[in-house]
Amino acid sequence: MYRAAAMNQESNTAPSVHREAFTVRSYDLDPRGRVGAGGICRYLQEAAAQHATRLGVATERLGPLGQAWILGRLRWRLDALLGRGDRIVVETWPSGLERLRALRDFVLRRADDDAPIGAGTSAWLIVDLARRRPVRMPAFVAAIRRPERPRAMSDVEAPGFPEGVEPASASITVRRSDLDLNEHVNNARYADWLIESVPDRIWRERRIASLDIVFCAEARAGERLAVDCLEVDTAGDDGGKCVTAHRIRRPDDGRVLVRARASWTASDDAPFRTP
């Protein structure tokens, strides 16, 4: 009872907009020295988790109810290169409720001068852990105060995956180290896996500039997955953006776990630091 009262008090005093600071570490980097898609997802996920804790709606509140947050969709864009030692701030806030989904937005800023370098939006569900099914938002979530500010990104149609064309594909076996507190693959790990079937010329010569990823079903340790990729908008020799469509599926039953779309741009087009 005391703990619940304390969390209610904390939610009443927590700021409606949260700022979480990060410094890019060497373990965040890919072989080219840049933060990849999974790293950006982890920054956003951690900022969201810290704010949920301050609002009193995190695991400590949901766990005793047999419930947990899961991420249904995450979309972001990054307008700058991030490398080792770069310092950023992720600004995040609850931005709305849509039926069973709680919306949360993000702005990524350069720590030195607070200049915006990216944005994101996400949709979260609360699931019953025993039934693995979404439930209605509890009253204490619906009551969270939302700031009066514009959405960080406008709504767009969820990404699909083209049919009738043979994609590039890679095979992944889920390891125990891929799992999170809910004993399924963490959302950022799926983002890590997307690059496994990206054409080498894109992965080596470009950086990911945006990602829209939808989580359709969960995966457990030991399962074998297929990671598919199709280039749907081909860049020319001028270094323009190209777009890739992604799908992660379970071949044993044909279930699609993830659909995503990413845009890629020249790797040196947006330095993090100002000249």
Side-chain angles (χ1 to χ4, degrees):
M1 181 69 72
Y2 173 79
R3 179 59 180 161
M7 286 189 290
N8 285 334
Q9 177 66 27
E10 187 174 21
S11 67
N12 291 333
T13 59
S16 58
V17 178
H18 177 74
R19 290 168 62 90
E20 191 75 19
F22 298 93
T23 299
V24 177
R25 307 298 185 185
S26 58
Y27 49 73
D28 295 324
L29 305 179
D30 66 13
R32 299 161 300 164
R34 307 299 183 189
V35 178
I40 301 301
C41 291
R42 289 181 183 90
Y43 294 155
L44 302 183
Q45 176 181 264
E46 181 62 18
Q50 291 297 330
H51 197 200
T53 297
R54 296 196 66 182
L55 291 170
V57 296
T59 302
E60 295 83 357
R61 185 74 176 271
L62 296 179
L65 303 176
Q67 299 173 347
W69 287 106
I70 64 167
L71 184 58
R73 183 180 181 184
L74 177 63
R75 183 162 58 94
W76 54 259
R77 74 166 201 278
L78 183 64
D79 305 324
L81 292 165
L82 291 181
R84 183 180 179 185
D86 289 338
R87 298 187 303 116
I88 66 169
V89 172
V90 176
E91 192 174 81
T92 183
W93 65 95
S95 54
L97 289 175
E98 290 183 354
R99 302 179 67 180
L100 298 180
R101 305 190 310 164
L103 308 182
R104 173 172 286 277
D105 284 7
F106 307 89
V107 172
L108 293 86
R109 298 184 181 276
R110 208 163 41 204
D112 291 347
D113 59 4
D114 217 37
I117 58 168
T121 186
S122 58
W124 301 77
L125 301 94
I126 293 179
V127 297
D128 181 299
L129 290 173
R131 297 187 299 121
R132 316 302 284 191
R133 302 284 295 178
V135 299
R136 294 182 61 182
M137 287 292 158
F140 59 81
V141 173
I144 290 175
R145 179 169 54 92
R146 295 187 291 274
E148 295 183 4
R149 60 188 300 172
R151 297 292 306 276
M153 299 182 76
S154 58
D155 292 333
V156 298
E157 186 177 350
F161 192 84
E163 300 294 341
V165 181
E166 187 69 21
S169 190
S171 180
I172 293 285
T173 298
V174 179
R175 304 164 300 178
R176 292 174 180 172
S177 58
D178 298 320
L179 307 183
D180 61 17
L181 289 171
N182 298 321
E183 295 195 20
H184 63 195
V185 174
N186 182 265
N187 69 82
R189 185 64 75 193
Y190 288 114
D192 288 331
W193 291 341
L194 294 181
I195 66 168
E196 296 302 329
S197 51
V198 170
D200 197 59
R201 60 181 174 78
I202 295 177
W203 179 72
R204 290 191 178 279
E205 298 175 7
R206 298 179 179 276
R207 70 169 182 89
I208 189 166
S210 69
L211 179 67
D212 187 353
I213 183 167
V214 177
F215 305 95
C216 309
E218 59 185 353
R220 304 295 188 92
E223 293 182 343
R224 184 175 59 87
L225 307 179
V227 182
D228 301 331
C229 176
L230 277 173
E231 189 173 355
V232 295
D233 188 359
T234 304
D237 296 332
D238 59 355
K241 286 186 178 180
C242 63
V243 178
T244 49
H246 303 265
R247 176 180 63 192
I248 299 179
R249 55 189 170 85
R250 190 164 47 223
D252 288 350
D253 61 5
R255 187 72 181 271
V256 173
L257 310 183
V258 165
R259 290 188 177 91
R261 187 155 294 209
S263 68
W264 304 76
T265 191
S267 61
D268 59 352
D269 72 334
F272 177 79
R273 298 176 181 85
T274 54

